[in-house]
Amino acid sequence: LIRWFYLTISKDLFHMVVTEGEDALAVWTKLNGLFTDNQLQRRVFLQQEFFGSRQLDSSIDDYCMRLKKLADELRDLGETISDDLLLSTLTAGINEEFGNAASNLTLIPEPTFPKVVAYLRLEERRMKMAKTRATHVALAAGTSRGGPPLTFPQAPAV
């Protein structure tokens, strides 16, 4: 079993809990303690991180995965994180550029976290394509010549 621990968990974690001569039960007890001790403090830190999450410069996928991971960790500690709470936290933390998309979320029938994430992914993709098109149009407008070449009056020769 100790060999299985070595192959399964990170090397740093393994070396933190295993000392020579211990049996599998002692190693398991130490590992379990690492993840179950200090539950109150872990819950407080996770709640702060969950409710304070903002998208900032990350993609919708990264932001949603971070929220989902935090919600799962809170559930592991016995917290009740409903889909409604997850959705309201998600909506509160998305960037301002998703303002129209956030107001359209009420139009989704029976919204769930996966449905909203799928909608926001499509909206993010649409916004990227719109920015790309605008850049190409501006570039094309700046390099095209629609009229006759500019001529400058020359000074009379002396």
Side-chain angles (χ1 to χ4, degrees), residues 46-97:
L46 287 170
Q47 284 175 341
Q48 288 175 338
E49 192 175 346
F50 179 76
F51 291 111
S53 288
R54 300 288 177 258
Q55 181 185 3
L56 303 174
D57 293 334
S58 62
S59 69
I60 281 293
D61 273 338
D62 290 343
Y63 174 59
C64 292
M65 291 301 284
R66 187 170 68 244
L67 275 181
K68 178 75 168 97
K69 181 180 173 238
L70 290 168
D72 289 344
E73 288 183 44
L74 283 165
R75 284 185 190 116
D76 290 344
L77 292 173
E79 284 292 309
T80 303
I81 305 293
S82 67
D83 216 37
D84 288 341
L85 182 58
L86 190 56
L87 287 174
S88 64
T89 305
L90 166 70
T91 306
I94 58 177
N95 288 339
E96 291 177 8
E97 59 189 18

Side-chain angles (χ1 to χ4, degrees), residues 60-61 64 87 90-91 94 97-127:
I60 281 293
D61 273 338
C64 292
L87 287 174
L90 166 70
T91 306
I94 58 177
E97 59 189 18
F98 284 93
N100 289 336
S103 60
N104 289 339
L105 294 177
T106 58
L107 303 174
I108 297 175
E110 299 178 30
T112 62
F113 187 72
K115 282 183 183 178
V116 169
V117 171
Y119 171 73
L120 291 173
R121 279 185 188 138
L122 289 172
E123 184 62 17
E124 183 177 54
R125 189 173 179 188
R126 184 200 63 76
M127 290 185 326

Side-chain angles (χ1 to χ4, degrees), residues 140-152:
T143 58
S144 67
R145 293 187 177 150
L150 295 175
T151 57
F152 297 99

